[in-house]
Amino acid sequence: MTIPVLEIFGPTIQGEGMVIGQKTMFVRTAGCDYSCSWCDSKFTWDGSEKNNIRKMNAKEILDALIEEGGDRFGHVTISGGNPGLLPQLNNLVDLLHLHGVKVALETQGSKWQSWFTKINELTLSPKPPSSGMQTDFSVLDKIIESLSIEQKGTFSLKIVVFDDADLGYARKVHQRYPTVELFIQVGNDDLEKANEAELLAHLLERYEQLIDQVMADKELKHVRVLPQLHTYLWGNKRGV
């Protein structure tokens, strides 16, 4: 089965979650079962770039990664959209591992795939109230239970926070899954700003505010507070 691919780029750094700062290549798949209000990759699901979707098999994706990244990478991040919707990604994960490449993946945890257990660094990022989406905790419970038993790599939770309600949601998730490492990340609420210096100042202020809130929270003792690192470097640019 082929995989719907919108972007292959890198090497660059991972800007989010448990592997922040990691040198990596990116494979961005098309399609998502969510439509978050603040999504920074709406082009993967809103139909605006449907003509740019390439249907590629695992070997073709590996060849494209090597053409783009040469021998300068040993890590690939599969992103979306929601790549967790695609059972056929199993073939790509196996092929990358066969070539000694580690694999990271982020999904909102709305659907289980058996190949999740093969991912070296798996980020579950359920979406908070500001997204306009609803978390099915019965599905997320089963995913986390399965990963806790079977995961060959590591996995973590990441919550993007835009407001107080989102921080309350992060607290709820942390209480529900206290043994799973949680990363709380400030959200980029200005996806249209082109002036990188102004955006950086704005995001730094929001990051400091989030740090202050988490430091004062009695429940959020064992969490990490992150920026979106790539926005500090490249603003709202794509493909970096």
Side-chain angles (χ1 to χ4, degrees):
M1 296 177 65
T2 58
I3 297 163
V5 176
L6 268 171
E7 292 182 316
I8 294 175
F9 62 92
T12 182
I13 60 163
Q14 171 58 260
E16 305 185 8
M18 66 191 297
V19 287
I20 189 168
Q22 170 70 51
K23 181 179 179 181
T24 190
M25 296 289 293
F26 273 87
V27 176
R28 187 183 298 280
T29 62
C32 192
D33 50 336
Y34 280 15
S35 53
C36 296
S37 60
W38 36 253
C39 179
D40 60 2
S41 52
K42 289 184 178 180
F43 61 92
T44 63
W45 52 263
D46 66 3
S48 61
E49 295 199 18
K50 62 182 180 181
N51 293 330
N52 293 326
I53 297 173
R54 292 178 287 170
K55 298 293 184 68
M56 306 174 72
N57 61 38
K59 178 61 165 55
E60 289 170 335
I61 293 173
L62 177 61
D63 289 344
L65 285 164
I66 294 172
E67 181 178 357
E68 183 73 18
D71 58 359
R72 295 174 292 135
F73 72 96
H75 189 280
V76 168
T77 299
I78 303 174
S79 184
N82 181 13
L85 299 176
L86 304 173
Q88 64 268 38
L89 279 173
N90 179 63
N91 298 329
L92 177 60
V93 173
D94 284 347
L95 185 61
L96 290 170
H97 283 162
L98 185 64
H99 284 77
V101 177
K102 290 185 176 181
V103 182
L105 178 130
E106 179 173 321
T107 176
Q108 57 260 45
S110 58
K111 185 177 176 59
W112 167 254
Q113 298 289 350
S114 60
W115 53 264
F116 283 178
T117 61
K118 303 177 183 179
I119 299 297
N120 298 96
E121 295 126 347
L122 175 62
T123 297
L124 300 173
S125 184
K127 305 310 178 188
S130 64
S131 70
M133 301 293 104
Q134 295 289 326
T135 301
D136 187 337
F137 279 102
S138 64
V139 174
L140 191 56
D141 286 347
K142 292 178 181 177
I143 291 174
I144 288 178
E145 180 181 5
S146 296
L147 291 174
S148 298
I149 296 170
E150 303 176 43
Q151 183 68 6
K152 296 179 177 64
T154 58
F155 75 97
S156 65
L157 284 158
K158 186 193 81 178
I159 308 295
V160 179
V161 171
F162 286 85
D163 54 32
D164 290 343
D166 290 355
L167 189 60
Y169 175 88
R171 190 181 302 112
K172 174 183 176 181
V173 169
H174 191 46
Q175 291 168 339
R176 191 178 186 100
Y177 312 110
T179 63
V180 181
E181 189 167 22
L182 173 62
F183 296 83
I184 297 177
Q185 181 174 293
V186 67
N188 178 4
D189 61 352
D190 194 347
L191 299 174
E192 302 301 322
K193 187 178 288 296
N195 187 308
E196 294 179 14
E198 290 181 4
L199 179 63
L200 176 58
H202 174 67
L203 293 177
L204 281 170
E205 182 180 4
R206 284 178 50 78
Y207 183 38
E208 184 176 7
Q209 290 172 351
L210 180 59
I211 289 173
D212 289 343
Q213 287 180 289
V214 173
M215 295 309 106
D217 195 300
K218 296 180 181 179
E219 298 293 330
L220 298 171
K221 295 178 180 178
H222 303 289
V223 302
R224 301 189 189 190
V225 188
L226 296 181
Q228 276 190 312
L229 186 57
H230 57 286
T231 62
Y232 287 18
L233 297 169
W234 300 296
N236 288 316
K237 291 178 182 176
R238 275 177 56 181
V240 290

